[in-house]
Amino acid sequence: NVLATIMVRAELLRQVLPDPKLISHVEVIERVAHDGARTVRRLQEFTRPAKGVDHRPVDLNGAVRESLEITKSRWKDDAQLSGISIEVQTELGDIPPVLGDASEIREILTNLIVNAVDAMPQGGLLRLTTCKPPENSRVELSVADTGIGMTDEVRAQIFDPFFTTKGPGGSGLGLSVSYGILKRHHGTISVQTAPGAGTTFTVTLPAAEGTLDPEPEASTTMPEPLRILVIDDEEGLRVSLYTALHREGH
């Protein structure tokens, strides 16, 4: 209900904002709210893995760019407020789409980016690379940082649920959830690290045989005004739905 209210209000803002830059911020809010809803559903099914997952061709380079935008407050704004500098570099290769779920792939990327930023308390370099090794049916993504690195003992536990080195500020679910997502995607994840030498996570995903689905065209036909009864026990959602329908002339 909370996320639904955010989605509806963001949609209303997007319809009335004149500035394309402001609209792009609202689109990030919408995308993250949808991803959050999917995350909640996965947490609800933590002990009941979802069946019949619908995987489609996904633009991995696009997912990298979107994830960097989603996490910008961490690697740029928060870093600057703390007086440190984190440089972000991308090397996005000419790669085919990968087969998967765009929301889940963004979640993996977001977790890896946030972990990389947390591993550089004095600042450093964050580098994201995509490529397709020759004669391979998989696409490779790497997320590298120049941070504090990990010991062998920590490295052996990073994919265990609820294991964290962040104290009360960490849930210990980011990497374990990412590992589960990759397992459902028939993907892999590996890590190279050493104390003081930074960390590089390498993810592989199966390349998709199809092409990316085209963006659906927005309908320009206005439906006839309807009289609609909106019922929900959550006032914020009820009012948001009423407002959205009223703006459409219903």
Side-chain angles (χ1 to χ4, degrees):
N1 283 339
V2 173
L3 291 168
T5 302
I6 292 172
M7 292 177 194
V8 174
R9 295 289 180 167
E11 169 67 17
L12 292 173
L13 279 175
R14 185 159 60 87
Q15 292 177 7
V16 299
L17 288 175
D19 187 341
K21 185 175 181 180
L22 294 177
I23 292 174
S24 70
H25 293 321
V26 173
E27 289 173 344
V28 171
I29 293 172
E30 290 180 311
R31 185 161 55 246
V32 173
H34 281 284
D35 289 354
R38 295 180 68 89
T39 300
V40 170
R41 285 194 288 272
R42 285 196 297 276
L43 289 173
Q44 289 172 332
E45 298 177 352
F46 195 75
T47 57
R48 296 182 293 109
K51 296 180 181 180
V53 180
D54 183 19
H55 287 170
R56 299 179 180 182
V58 176
D59 178 4
L60 183 59
N61 287 342
V64 169
R65 289 187 286 266
E66 290 167 350
S67 299
L68 283 172
E69 183 66 26
I70 290 169
T71 57
K72 191 174 183 178
S73 62
R74 294 292 296 272
W75 55 262
K76 185 175 182 180
D77 301 336
D78 291 352
Q80 290 178 348
L81 287 173
S82 300
I84 63 175
S85 174
I86 294 179
E87 181 184 356
V88 175
Q89 292 182 356
T90 58
E91 187 176 330
L92 307 180
D94 183 12
I95 58 174
V98 297
L99 191 63
D101 179 282
S103 171
E104 292 190 331
I105 290 173
R106 283 196 297 268
E107 183 170 359
I108 295 170
L109 281 159
T110 299
N111 286 332
L112 294 178
I113 292 170
V114 169
N115 283 348
V117 171
D118 290 343
M120 297 186 287
Q122 306 302 319
L125 173 65
L126 170 63
R127 194 163 185 266
L128 294 93
T129 306
T130 60
C131 67
K132 185 181 185 302
E135 299 181 359
N136 194 325
S137 61
R138 306 181 74 80
V139 176
E140 190 173 288
L141 160 76
S142 69
V143 180
D145 66 67
T146 57
I148 58 178
M150 292 180 273
T151 64
D152 290 339
E153 291 77 13
V154 170
R155 176 183 175 181
Q157 301 178 76
I158 56 175
F159 297 113
D160 294 345
F162 308 113
F163 174 78
T164 181
T165 59
K166 300 178 184 179
S171 67
L173 284 174
L175 286 176
S176 64
V177 168
S178 298
Y179 181 85
I181 291 172
L182 283 165
K183 191 174 181 181
R184 292 196 297 273
H185 280 68
H186 305 290
T188 66
I189 184 169
S190 60
V191 58
Q192 290 183 316
T193 186
T199 300
T200 299
F201 282 93
T202 301
V203 169
T204 71
L205 288 161
E209 295 181 358
T211 58
L212 293 173
D213 294 335
E215 290 292 329
E217 294 185 5
S219 174
T220 57
T221 304
M222 288 294 290
E224 290 294 323
L226 302 172
R227 184 169 179 82
I228 302 171
L229 176 63
V230 178
I231 303 175
D232 199 281
D233 59 354
E234 185 74 26
E235 182 181 8
L237 180 56
R238 186 172 65 248
V239 173
S240 297
L241 289 172
Y242 169 83
T243 304
L245 291 168
H246 187 68
R247 279 187 53 83
E248 295 297 322
H250 302 301

